[in-house]
Amino acid sequence: MSTVCILGAGALGSLWAARLSNTHTVKIIPRLNKKSSLSGYDFSLQDAETTTTYHLPYLPLSSLPDGPLSENTRASSPSVILLVFCKSFDTLPALTAIKPYLPHHIPIVLFQNGLGSQVEVGKAFPDHPVYAAVTTEGANRKTPQHIIHAGRGSTWIGPFNKQATMAGAKEACAVLADSGLEVSAEADITLRLWKKLAVNCAINPMTALLNCPNGELPSQPYFTARYTTLCKELVLIMQLTIGYETTSDALKAQIDEVIRKTAQNISSMLQDLRAGRKTEIEDICGYLVKEARQQNIACPTITQLYQDVLALATTGSQ
Ligand code: PAF
């Protein structure tokens, strides 16, 4: 049995916390700015068949030095793992806040969308084994205490910095597979992150700007007019940045498949905008614009999407 610590108990974090709590000790790390007098996090998880309620204990920051993250419990607690589900822009601040309590041997697994936050954490935590995860599990929050497991998917975990290894990725997968969700170790997690980034870049800002579910994109003239150029820009950036060779038609086919499979979904970016929350546009289009600039190439379609979503977020008109 392992101790699984969860930082960022949003919809996805709650899904994993619930599913892992049947076999492991799961503890929720409360955010520094969200001090709670409660002993734990109460919520229900609804999937296709059932709705189950959970009470998972908080790991209060004040007890962290003596808690399961502490070095001195290492012998009695052979396996402790930290899963991070914060929004991309919250990830480095949230991890930095608990860094003094985080012994170097504890693996950190990052579940963020986009790219950028993983790179920042990899640099800021060079002594910790840092892993990145890519997941296609669908979860959303109906109310603050009611999580819906909207669609089953797959999850890949791979080493993201020098301290992380494939053997460590396999160990993390063995723990996470006890959730009953599909998990595999991935040697080239960077490529998977880039492929997901490309999909998110095509779907998220478009649905945010058009205020529509994913499945409506192919019938939206605004989307169809920009789709080919957008894919060409993505293909060129991926080729120059990570040396990945693909064609815009192949990329389109992958994006079309995700649109079909998630047709009813309201993308995470549109959900954020509708709820008046900060979006992950910086780690999706913002990251791509920066990479293109470094490669001295223009990406006018991605840049426009980036600026338009930033403007939408400022005016709050969705
Ligand atoms: O961010 C999202 O909403 C999801 O990654 C995806 C695949 C676009 C489906 O909605």
Side-chain angles (χ1 to χ4, degrees), residues 78 91 182 267 295:
T91 301
E182 196 186 300
S267 75
Q295 301 295 339

Side-chain angles (χ1 to χ4, degrees), residues 301-313:
T301 315
I302 300 173
T303 306
Q304 194 65 57
L305 289 174
Y306 173 52
Q307 289 168 350
D308 289 352
V309 172
L310 282 180
L312 249 193

Side-chain angles (χ1 to χ4, degrees), residues 113 196 200 203-204 214 258 262 265 267-268:
N113 268 336
K196 175 129 195 269
N200 283 139
I203 299 178
N204 295 30
N214 299 354
V258 177
T262 64
N265 274 32
S267 75
S268 54

